[in-house]
Amino acid sequence: MEVNSIENGIVIDHIRAGSGLKLLSHLGIDTRTDTVALIMNATSGKHGRKDIIKIENLLDVDLTALGLLDCGATVNFIEHGKLVRKIKLSLPERVVGVIRCKNPRCVTSVEPAIPHVFLLVDPDTEEYRCEYCDESVRVNER
Amino acid sequence: MGAPRGLKGRSLLEPGDFTPGELAELFDLADEITESPERYAEVAKGKILAALFFEPSTRTRLSFETAMLRLGGQVIGFSEAQSSSAAKGESIADTVRTVGCYSDITVIRHPKEGSCRVAAAASDVPVINAGDGGHHHPTQTLTDLLTIRREKGRLTGLRVGLCGDLKFGRTVHSLIRAMRVYEGTEFVLISPQELRVPAYVIRDMEERGCPYEETQDMRSGMRGLDMLYMTRVQRERFFNEEDYIRLKDQFLLGAEQMRWAPSSMIVLHPLPRVNEIAAEVDADPRAVYFKQAKNGMYVRMALICALLGLAAR
């Protein structure tokens, strides 16, 4: 299968196989008219299988949220057909407005206009805690 | 003695907000106020404390109000959400921001966990958490720590038993978070399976490498304790009345159970109690829960002085 290289935009590589759709959905690109490619289960020397996303003419992405969704992926920024920046994603220390607290006793369940904030507790288990009520969540269990 | 300088202008939202050194200074000040209350009788003259109680409270609210009055200050506020603008749908942030325009310090109790953090973010004056749902109750912890320090002469090297509702008991969560930093602390957690401490409290102990054991056997759990912290199973925290009835009488402390305890073990309780400590225990010299209530007033006086930077004249 052949997917052309892009002139300007991003390539998210080394996505855990099967997570590509989730990342794509989070990027909210369904209203864009630019070219978007999602390659699923591509052969990977390192992981066996991986997903890849290519989006043309998009350079502004929320790396914090992407890191939360797949901390093993890399984001390549392409300008004029050249790789200008490569970022290996990592689990963010503080996440605002991505994870929702499910504790019905948490203040976020009643107070309007406050962001849901989660802090990284343990990178190995991908565990976060709500800044308000301490409720913990493992990001892959959401 | 002056107020601990590092605390002026700060808020107290959870027990870990103050270092052991800052706590020691605060307790020294509480001791000084207890010994010479007349020197502090007017230090808060002209200052106003706002007591915002969105949830019923007797002793915490009265303790704060008395503390402020004994310092010469004044108190405004409400004692239930229905008599506040919350009944009209106002947000916590807006209520606190507005009240902060009238007062010098705000005390808030609210049934939602983390509400104090929302309040502190919206406030220009210091905020004290007087209980946020089943989460934390740091001024009760100050009361507990001052009582332990006075009764045992130290806060280190203690084997601490906690018994009853350890899941929803915010005073338990706060006391564990505070005591885990003292060297040599060990915890014994005595509760029904359904009312075990939440995962974040276990994490608190493990982070500091504190030894702890969980048991449903009160007799073996009391062995070797330096103190036993009894708690009430709180009806208001249950969604299901049947669960409350099934669990409420599982751990009762009476004269018989006190015979299992070491002679030097003190008994604390944040109060109010229902039946988890029998009245016959009150006469036991190891029962210190009414002293604890009085200590609460002194430590709140010290806290108000510290956060407002008030010193004896």
Side-chain angles (χ1 to χ4, degrees), chain A residues 35-107:
Chain A
T35 308
V36 176
L38 166 63
I39 304 160
M40 296 174 74
N41 300 315
T43 307
S44 162
K46 215 191 263 181
H47 307 294
R49 297 277 167 193
K50 65 177 179 179
D51 292 355
I52 304 168
I53 293 171
K54 295 186 177 191
I55 307 172
E56 213 153 40
N57 297 324
L58 175 72
L59 289 165
D60 181 21
V61 287
D62 181 358
L63 295 173
T64 303
L66 288 183
L68 190 70
L69 292 168
D70 190 341
C71 60
T74 52
V75 182
N76 302 294
F77 293 83
I78 315 289
E79 285 180 29
H80 308 298
K82 296 240 162 52
L83 175 68
V84 293
R85 195 155 59 109
K86 182 171 189 162
I87 293 174
K88 181 165 184 335
L89 294 175
S90 58
L91 281 176
E93 291 289 329
R94 191 166 190 269
V95 183
V96 180
V98 180
I99 309 172
R100 290 192 69 78
C101 186
K102 291 180 180 167
N103 177 5
R105 293 180 292 274
C106 180
V107 68

